[in-house]
Amino acid sequence: MSNHEGQTIIYLIRRTPLETRLFPELSDDDKGEENVVAKSQLQAGAILAKRYAIQEVVGLGGMGSVYRARDMHFPNVTKLVAVKEMINSAPDPLVRETIVQNFEREANLLATLHHPSIPKIYDYFTLESRSYLVLEFIHGKDMEAVINETNGFLPEEQVLTWAIDLCDVLDYLHKHQPDPIIFRDMKPSNVMINSNGDVMLVDFGIAKAFQSGIKGTMIGTEGYSPPEQYRGEATQAADIYSLGATLHHALTRRDPRLEPPFSFAERPIRRINPAVSPELETIVNQALEYEPANRFKSASEMRDALTSVARKTGMLVRMGPKTGPIKSEGIKPLWKFKCEDEIRGTPAIHQGTLYIGCYDHNLYALDASEGKFQWKYPTDGGIVSRPIIVDGNIIVGSEDKRLHVVSSRSGKVVWTYYTDGPVRSSPSIAEGHIFFGSDDNHLHAVNLNTGRMAWRFESADAIRSTPFVMSEMVYFGCESGDYYAINFRGEMKWRFRSKRAVTASTVGTGQAIYFTSVDGTLYALDPRNGWVIWRFRLGKSSISTPCIADDLIVVGSADGFIYAVEAKNSKEAWRFRTEHQVNGSPVLYKDSIYCGSVDGSLYCLEYRTGRLRWKFGTEGAITGTPLVFDDVVYIGSTDHHIYALLA
Amino acid sequence: MDKLFGWLFGSQPKTTEKAMDIANTAPLTEEQLKTIVSNQNPHFDLQQLVSAAGQSVGKQRELNEDSLLAITSTMAGNSGNLPFGLYVVADGMGGHQFGEVASNAAIRTVAGYIMKKFHPYLFQVKSEPMDESFQELMSAAVNEAQRIIQREAPGSGTTLTAALVIGQQITIAHVGDSRAYFVYPDGRLETITRDHSLVQRLQELGHITPEEAENYPHRNVLYKALGQGDILDPEIFTLAFPQPGTLMICSDGMWGVVAEQDIIRAINEAPNLQRACQNLVTAANTAGGPDNISVVLAQLIG
């Protein structure tokens, strides 16, 4: 029975034994009428009341259509009007009468209002069971459409301008004499943006009479309504809340109708859209206070606050958003060490010594506390994989097609193992065996003591991912996109196909294993049988290995973002934008995520929120994964350096 | 005669109690206790999914607007027989016969959609790997149900709590205030769904206490229901099947009426799942049966 246009009321009342007959009318009639409306719409060319030539339907509401029409009383010019129709088909005469009264109420209300943001009313009349309002036609779009059609976020100054104008019109309504007018339905779809970019408030059709009826009938509209509306209260503070909700939606692009009620505080604006100034965020938050008393006392008070933000942030002479809470210059490395070529691999640490491979063919051993050189071991190819340390031996693969086992004490070779392709996969150790992949399309299982092959498993393409070992199973992907689960005897238990290469390694729990693919997907699979639990679309491809941080899966992508996804429901918890591809893998240490980017920086983020704690710039792209040990972060860069930083 | 009865019914000599009091026996270790307990429980070396369901119109309604579905099977496959289960409870609303239509349509559409997808794995010899994830599948099924309900019963709505069990993964799709629980043999009960009701939301925000919630006037207001709203955003998530433990899905005619302690007891003290369902439905009716009652129980054994 309300004439919300094209909207369904989503608050439903559950039937209790005593309330059997209270509520069906609301939503049912909305729907039912829609069918009636569709059948009996005025056609283009029809002349209404011998004056309004219907041109087209511009909107559809629960009780009728909105048309664009030409006023024929002005034959020499094209004067366009909006004709809002309401079909009154209620069978109950009392209800019919109420509907007509309400319609006339809206007409009379509009006739007393004069404000640039309120459409002018020209006429109203009733023909049989249909009533019509003739209003100023607004060339433009509603704000919801503007939000949806914008790529990325709307500029802050645009939203700020609208906010100030909306406060102005609300202030006008709230100061209306003899009685203040509460708009009660502030939301993006009720705000038109005309061709000049000015806001117009439309749909004054919400009438109190409909809502204050039987207790427990309809008690609110979607997402934008304040808590007290559930108690049937509508005050100026309610309009301020809904305006806050509207602005929150416009600034974050998060539709509150898709979120639990009153959950704006769980989606802080600047976490979603860091370009918004803290000042504007504060104002929106105050408008969204749960208790009406804590919001702005009036629309004019809110307008004044907005205006001062506009002045401070230089709305017209836009100032860039302030980025980065801490400048990178503030961070000094504990030490750095220069190799002879790029470092693309990941370090390992053992008994105070840091081991890292380099493109200059060497495996370096450095004193972890000071970065002093201890020894280097030359291979015949670049090293991109991560070394692993077992029984005093360092094991590392090289582009020279070999796996090298080197004594940590002497830096001399113990034994080497040949494959038929470069070894870019990092080794994993379990049950006395080394598992690693090679570009020769095999996963090799090598006896740790003898250096002899136990078995090798043939895959469809080169294996560059690190095998993940869990519960006597080995999981790895290869460059064809095939993904395998094999047991310790080298027998395949299941296989999965992603659309592109799986270069990244797997992490997992007993419940699920996680890996990314160049097809731009983060996968969660059942480790026992390979069924897909969920998929999460990344912006671009990924070769970054995920990291498990409590119930979040954190991973980077070539689109430049670091994503955090909830393990349980695959929803994005946060994302953080770096300036270039994120090909390295994030790691968790205490409550921070550390991750490098091709933009050259190492980022430290708060893992729950993705908030930047600090970043450290190097002179080259970072593609490796940091190592954090004893409150020190070690990271290699393509600027030939390895850095040690305080975590 | 005493002896005979003692032999027949296992009654013990009167002196035993006294002897027990002074007896100093070695306590059983945790390991031993576990073995004894596990030997008493059913066990299969391949995991088996078992289930039972119960429904009642209640004592105060004439119509049953709840709908329920429970399918339990195994999927034969290369890597062994995989437990397969689909359990759905829907509680229709809208204040007239449309509530029933909505809950019916919800069950049929969701189950139909999912069973069609699993048809090749259950009933065909050759099958391609599925190109959708469990969560995508559930989401698509719920959205299909939304579309069908808006077409078949416009204006009505229904809750929907569905659980798809594949192996040890339970993927839940949830809208409204029917609930899914894990009930553990040690007497814990964990609510794994979140009610989409105003009263629940106000509790989450700390604006009313659980005690106030009991008597809150708008207890029956939902902010999300299948069939309602332009945009439906069901909660979809995956959890590991509790082992040991019981998955329970029920409508508010059960959880709103029977105290948690009684639910736990009804499940943990029953000799089997069928009896547990019976006990739960009886408990709800004994408490007045103000609403339709639906309950499904499932266990993964082995």
Side-chain angles (χ1 to χ4, degrees):
Chain A
M1 285 182 6
S2 76
N3 33 357
H4 296 199
E5 298 189 356
Q7 152 197 328
T8 318
I9 292 138
I10 63 164
Y11 293 98
L12 264 195
I13 305 300
R14 301 295 307 285
R15 190 167 72 158
T16 67
L18 300 175
E19 290 179 70
T20 310
R21 284 181 39 78
L22 292 188
F23 31 81
E25 300 89 348
L26 290 161
S27 39
D28 289 357
D29 280 9
D30 272 359
K31 287 285 166 188
E33 292 290 342
E34 220 165 83
N35 297 335
V36 176
V37 169
K39 270 181 237 147
S40 57
Q41 248 168 19
L42 298 174
Q43 299 301 309
I47 308 282
L48 195 59
K50 297 181 184 165
R51 176 168 179 179
Y52 304 106
I54 303 296
Q55 294 186 328
E56 96 179 295
V57 178
V58 292
L60 199 63
M63 311 252 337
S65 304
V66 183
Y67 306 93
R68 184 184 67 221
R70 183 177 165 194
D71 185 347
M72 302 308 284
H73 278 197
F74 297 86
N76 300 327
V77 291
T78 306
K79 178 182 162 72
L80 293 178
V81 294
V83 176
K84 188 172 165 185
E85 174 188 61
M86 193 204 54
I87 304 173
N88 192 348
S89 59
D92 183 342
L94 198 67
V95 175
R96 283 166 68 91
E97 199 181 319
T98 316
I99 292 174
V100 172
Q101 278 172 8
N102 191 59
F103 177 80
E104 294 185 350
R105 189 176 170 278
E106 181 181 357
N108 287 316
L109 187 65
L110 279 172
T112 65
L113 302 178
H114 306 284
H115 190 276
S117 295
I118 297 173
K120 291 181 199 59
I121 180 165
Y122 300 126
D123 198 1
Y124 75 95
F125 50 90
T126 296
L127 298 170
E128 293 172 355
S129 65
R130 297 173 185 225
S131 302
Y132 295 93
L133 277 182
V134 183
L135 301 161
E136 179 182 353
F137 183 79
I138 302 161
H139 291 271
K141 279 182 198 162
D142 70 61
M143 193 195 284
E144 189 173 328
V146 174
I147 294 169
N148 291 339
E149 289 164 18
T150 305
N151 284 326
F153 295 111
L154 290 163
E156 176 176 359
E157 68 264 33
Q158 181 155 47
V159 179
L160 196 51
T161 319
W162 292 341
I164 290 169
D165 289 351
L166 287 170
C167 279
D168 197 65
V169 63
L170 283 182
D171 184 46
Y172 171 80
L173 292 171
H174 293 169
K175 288 189 175 138
H176 185 262
Q177 293 295 328
D179 297 312
I181 296 166
I182 311 301
F183 185 66
R184 311 166 163 258
D185 206 16
M186 176 66 78
K187 57 183 178 182
S189 61
N190 276 345
V191 177
M192 293 289 291
I193 312 291
N194 71 14
S195 45
N196 294 333
D198 300 327
V199 298
M200 297 289 272
L201 214 46
V202 296
D203 201 348
F204 283 75
I206 302 282
K208 280 182 197 178
F210 287 133
Q211 296 196 337
S212 60
I214 312 153
K215 199 180 174 194
T217 327
M218 185 199 83
I219 41 172
T221 59
E222 322 168 32
Y224 305 93
S225 302
E228 68 269 20
Q229 200 148 323
Y230 288 87
R231 300 188 289 266
E233 292 167 23
T235 60
Q236 303 182 6
D239 277 350
I240 287 172
Y241 183 96
S242 300
L243 174 58
T246 300
L247 298 176
H248 189 282
H249 183 177
L251 291 167
T252 62
R253 296 182 60 113
R254 298 285 173 97
D255 189 332
R257 291 167 295 185
L258 296 176
E259 309 285 346
F262 331 129
S263 60
F264 296 101
E266 296 162 21
R267 300 187 297 284
I269 294 170
R270 277 164 44 79
R271 194 202 295 168
I272 298 165
N273 178 1
V276 175
S277 65
E279 291 87 352
L280 180 56
E281 182 184 45
T282 307
I283 291 176
V284 176
N285 287 349
Q286 191 179 340
L288 286 170
E289 282 283 344
Y290 188 91
E291 291 297 336
N294 296 337
R295 297 175 205 148
F296 292 99
K297 284 183 191 59
S298 65
S300 60
E301 190 186 303
M302 182 166 168
R303 180 188 54 205
D304 292 346
L306 288 163
T307 315
S308 80
V309 169
R311 230 175 269 128
K312 221 181 282 171
T313 59
M315 179 179 69
L316 300 172
V317 194
R318 179 163 171 73
M319 281 161 40
K322 299 166 196 113
T323 51
I326 298 168
K327 302 245 168 59
S328 57
E329 301 90 71
I331 306 270
K332 283 248 183 323
L334 297 171
W335 54 258
K336 59 180 179 178
F337 177 85
K338 192 167 190 294
C339 303
E340 286 155 42
D341 205 336
E342 297 180 349
I343 299 176
R344 290 182 174 267
T346 302
I349 197 164
H350 182 68
Q351 292 185 344
T353 304
L354 190 78
Y355 301 95
I356 188 156
C358 176
Y359 257 33
D360 67 14
H361 297 196
N362 289 306
L363 172 72
Y364 287 84
L366 308 173
D367 175 85
S369 55
E370 292 165 27
K372 285 213 180 85
F373 175 84
Q374 292 186 338
W375 51 257
K376 65 180 176 184
Y377 167 82
T379 72
D380 296 324
I383 301 175
V384 293
S385 64
R386 176 209 303 256
I388 193 163
I389 298 111
V390 179
D391 299 337
N393 290 334
I394 322 300
I395 303 164
V396 72
S398 162
E399 294 283 307
D400 68 8
K401 305 185 181 179
R402 281 185 291 169
L403 185 76
H404 298 258
V405 180
V406 181
S407 161
S408 64
R409 214 156 21 89
S410 62
K412 298 279 187 287
V413 63
V414 180
W415 51 263
T416 59
Y417 173 91
Y418 277 86
T419 74
D420 297 323
V423 180
R424 293 161 180 169
S425 155
S426 304
S428 292
I429 307 263
E431 298 289 328
H433 287 80
I434 310 168
F435 300 93
F436 68 99
S438 160
D439 274 17
D440 69 4
N441 300 5
H442 282 89
L443 184 90
H444 297 259
V446 178
N447 186 297
L448 195 52
N449 295 320
T450 63
R452 290 225 183 90
M453 179 177 81
W455 48 259
R456 57 179 200 171
F457 174 87
E458 185 171 6
S459 68
D461 207 338
I463 302 168
R464 291 173 184 163
S465 64
T466 303
F468 174 69
V469 182
M470 182 177 73
S471 307
E472 306 199 352
M473 295 280 280
V474 185
Y475 303 92
F476 59 94
C478 75
E479 295 303 296
S480 64
D482 288 273
Y483 186 92
Y484 302 89
I486 63 180
N487 67 13
F488 276 0
R489 290 188 296 277
E491 299 158 345
M492 186 173 80
K493 296 308 280 182
W494 53 262
R495 163 199 188 128
F496 169 80
R497 278 204 69 107
S498 85
K499 292 181 192 73
R500 303 277 300 278
V502 179
T503 308
S505 310
T506 300
V507 293
T509 62
Q511 158 87 345
I513 48 176
Y514 307 95
F515 60 90
T516 59
S517 161
V518 175
D519 69 13
T521 308
L522 169 64
Y523 290 93
L525 265 54
D526 188 324
R528 293 169 210 89
N529 47 52
W531 282 82
V532 186
I533 299 167
W534 51 256
R535 298 188 288 189
F536 178 84
R537 289 295 304 173
L538 303 161
K540 275 189 184 162
S541 65
S542 175
I543 55 169
S544 162
T545 300
C547 145
I548 300 174
D550 286 352
D551 42 7
L552 297 177
I553 311 300
V554 185
V555 76
S557 161
D559 66 2
F561 283 100
I562 300 165
Y563 293 85
V565 180
E566 305 220 12
K568 186 172 147 184
N569 58 22
S570 65
K571 289 216 161 131
E572 181 180 313
W574 52 262
R575 65 165 81 181
F576 178 85
R577 184 202 290 273
T578 75
E579 306 298 322
H580 209 307
Q581 299 188 358
V582 181
N583 295 337
S585 308
V587 295
L588 176 74
Y589 182 75
K590 293 182 177 167
D591 61 348
S592 291
I593 291 286
Y594 299 86
C595 188
S597 163
V598 174
D599 69 14
S601 288
L602 176 75
Y603 292 86
C604 172
L605 311 175
E606 205 279 317
Y607 88 110
R608 281 262 150 236
T609 59
R611 195 173 51 77
L612 179 67
R613 287 199 157 136
W614 52 261
K615 65 175 181 177
F616 172 76
T618 71
E619 304 296 318
I622 298 178
T623 59
T625 299
L627 167 76
V628 195
F629 184 80
D630 263 355
D631 293 331
V632 179
V633 196
Y634 304 93
I635 184 75
S637 165
T638 53
D639 69 4
H640 303 191
H641 283 91
I642 173 142
Y643 298 87
L645 307 158
L646 214 53
Chain B
M1 278 301 270
D2 258 8
K3 247 184 188 170
L4 178 61
F5 275 111
W7 175 69
L8 273 177
F9 301 109
S11 75
Q12 292 165 338
K14 282 167 197 157
T15 52
T16 308
E17 258 183 45
K18 230 178 181 177
M20 286 281 281
D21 286 343
I22 51 162
N24 198 5
T25 58
L28 293 172
T29 64
E30 277 296 307
E31 285 301 305
Q32 286 170 310
L33 278 171
K34 258 187 201 159
T35 316
I36 292 169
V37 170
S38 70
N39 285 342
Q40 285 168 347
N41 288 335
H43 178 81
F44 304 102
D45 59 323
L46 286 176
Q47 285 191 328
Q48 294 297 321
L49 187 62
V50 292
S51 70
Q55 273 198 295
S56 164
V57 72
K59 296 283 189 197
Q60 298 179 27
R61 300 286 182 92
E62 288 171 11
L63 265 179
N64 179 28
E65 294 190 325
D66 282 7
S67 298
L68 181 152
L69 177 134
I71 296 172
T72 304
S73 181
T74 55
M75 273 196 293
N78 300 336
S79 47
N81 288 337
L82 209 55
F84 173 92
L86 182 60
Y87 310 103
V88 194
V89 166
D91 175 359
M93 69 196 76
H96 46 45
Q97 73 279 13
F98 271 10
E100 186 188 336
V101 179
S103 69
N104 251 291
I107 295 265
R108 288 178 184 225
T109 311
V110 167
Y113 190 94
I114 289 169
M115 292 309 286
K116 243 177 258 161
K117 290 282 181 182
F118 277 97
H119 187 276
Y121 310 101
L122 287 162
F123 310 119
Q124 274 170 227
V125 175
K126 280 200 169 177
S127 53
E128 290 290 306
M130 191 179 286
D131 59 355
E132 279 167 285
S133 68
F134 298 151
Q135 294 192 358
E136 287 166 296
L137 199 64
M138 289 297 255
S139 172
V142 172
N143 280 311
E144 178 66 3
Q146 166 88 346
R147 198 179 64 80
I148 297 290
I149 292 166
Q150 287 189 334
R151 196 184 69 198
E152 298 298 316
S156 70
T158 178
T159 74
L160 177 94
T161 302
L164 170 67
V165 180
I166 306 287
Q168 297 173 29
Q169 312 281 352
I170 306 180
T171 303
I172 303 269
H174 169 72
V175 185
D177 72 347
S178 295
R179 286 184 179 178
Y181 292 93
F182 288 158
V183 184
Y184 300 96
D186 59 9
R188 279 178 304 128
L189 173 143
E190 184 188 351
T191 313
I192 59 173
T193 50
R194 180 167 84 158
D195 297 348
H196 297 135
S197 63
L198 175 62
V199 66
Q200 177 66 30
R201 186 66 195 145
L202 293 176
Q203 280 185 81
E204 284 165 11
L205 292 169
H207 292 298
I208 57 173
T209 63
E211 292 72 42
E212 286 168 327
E214 294 285 326
N215 301 308
Y216 192 73
H218 306 301
R219 274 192 67 79
N220 49 354
V221 178
L222 297 186
Y223 61 83
K224 213 183 259 186
L226 197 58
Q228 289 292 317
D230 304 336
I231 319 155
L232 183 75
D233 182 31
E235 273 185 49
I236 291 174
F237 54 90
T238 306
L239 298 171
F241 207 113
Q243 285 177 293
T246 307
L247 167 71
M248 167 166 122
I249 304 177
C250 62
S251 60
D252 65 340
M254 172 66 67
W255 68 256
V257 178
V258 182
E260 282 188 2
Q261 284 316 310
D262 296 332
I263 290 178
I264 296 165
R265 203 175 309 124
I267 292 174
N268 287 343
E269 292 180 4
N272 54 46
L273 288 184
Q274 288 86 338
R275 184 67 70 78
C277 281
Q278 188 67 56
N279 291 349
L280 285 167
V281 171
T282 306
N285 275 326
T286 307
D291 203 346
N292 305 146
I293 304 156
S294 298
V295 60
V296 191
L297 300 175
Q299 288 178 344
L300 192 58
I301 299 170

